[in-house]
Amino acid sequence: MPPRPRRSSRPAEELGGLMNRLRRAPRRRDFTTVPMILQKSDFWDNEALKEIIAYRGAHKQVWDNTNLAGPWLNLMRNSINAQIFSFEHKDFLAVSATHGTAHLALFDHVMWEKFELATLTGDRFKTNTLAMPKPAPTAFARSEDPNSVFGPVGDTIPALQERGVVFLACHNAIWEVTAKLIASGKNPDHASHEAVTAELTNHLVDGVVLTPGIVATIPELQQAGFHYAT
């Protein structure tokens, strides 16, 4: 790893620098099989995860998000709005520690179609509307406009990513989703557990950072100064 840059005297630059490093950090999405327990760092997005843990901004929060149908995207948007506009913390970093049913939102449309992921939502979601393309960028001057990305229309993964939110994926959640798919006969290729897990991993939404397990990653973030929210 190259030497870490010194903390900028301009907080917004600290967050922007992290976003640039995360865009450059590799994401391996060419798996053919994946084991149940990840024991080698090349099975997850190790470089990107290290960048997040090492973030030098003074204001950072990790959200323990587990309920697909809950208000998790709304709560993160509200937190960002207040941190940036009310408290003027331009370096504020929100991280979604995503597992449980919320993790279904991190799979792309191809996986939702192939494995009929809507059935795992009790058909509350017909498609992955939470990962739909973000609205057009909105200037800060429209921060009081409820129809801008600062309002409910901004409650999507791409819109929040554009504002600097990082979504962490959970290998353990992917393994467990695979088990449910195989048990319910949603395995059109009749592939092994390891192979289906690999395919789902290869189809995470762009920009998502894969971890070996969310429950184990949250303490790593807390030790690095992230405030826990659920």
Side-chain angles (χ1 to χ4, degrees), residues 1 17 26 30 92-93 109 123 131 152 165 167 208:
M1 288 281 295
D30 61 352
F92 179 66
L93 171 63
H109 177 71
D123 288 327
V165 176
F167 288 83
V208 166

Side-chain angles (χ1 to χ4, degrees), residues 42-209:
D42 59 346
F43 277 103
W44 67 88
D45 298 330
N46 188 50
E47 184 175 326
L49 183 57
K50 283 184 175 180
E51 289 285 358
I52 296 163
I53 293 171
Y55 179 59
R56 296 189 177 190
H59 306 95
K60 45 199 176 183
Q61 189 171 38
V62 55
W63 289 83
D64 191 353
N65 292 320
T66 61
N67 183 4
L68 179 69
W72 56 301
L73 299 180
N74 176 276
L75 292 173
M76 287 193 294
R77 174 181 56 80
N78 284 335
S79 180
I80 299 166
N81 286 348
Q83 282 285 323
I84 292 177
F85 295 110
S86 304
F87 296 118
E88 299 185 349
H89 295 157
K90 307 300 184 185
D91 61 345
F92 179 66
L93 171 63
V95 172
S96 174
T98 324
H99 54 139
T101 60
H103 201 284
L104 296 172
L106 301 187
F107 297 120
D108 65 21
H109 177 71
V110 174
M111 294 295 94
W112 272 69
E113 287 286 323
K114 178 173 181 177
F115 292 106
E116 302 178 45
L117 296 181
T119 61
L120 299 183
T121 75
D123 288 327
R124 296 185 68 177
F125 288 77
K126 301 300 182 184
T127 60
N128 188 6
T129 56
L130 301 185
M132 67 185 209
K134 69 180 181 64
T138 302
F140 273 17
R142 291 185 60 191
S143 61
E144 295 293 346
D145 180 358
N147 295 315
S148 72
V149 292
F150 304 106
V153 72
D155 291 348
T156 70
I157 290 170
L160 289 172
Q161 285 177 320
E162 184 70 14
R163 297 187 62 192
V165 176
V166 177
F167 288 83
L168 301 182
C170 175
H171 164 70
N172 293 329
I174 299 173
W175 183 270
E176 290 167 4
V177 166
T178 299
K180 292 177 181 177
L181 293 174
I182 292 174
S184 63
K186 307 295 185 183
N187 182 13
D189 298 330
H190 305 288
S192 68
H193 198 132
E194 292 80 2
V196 175
T197 299
E199 185 172 10
L200 288 169
T201 301
N202 293 340
H203 285 269
L204 291 170
V205 170
D206 287 345
V208 166
V209 176

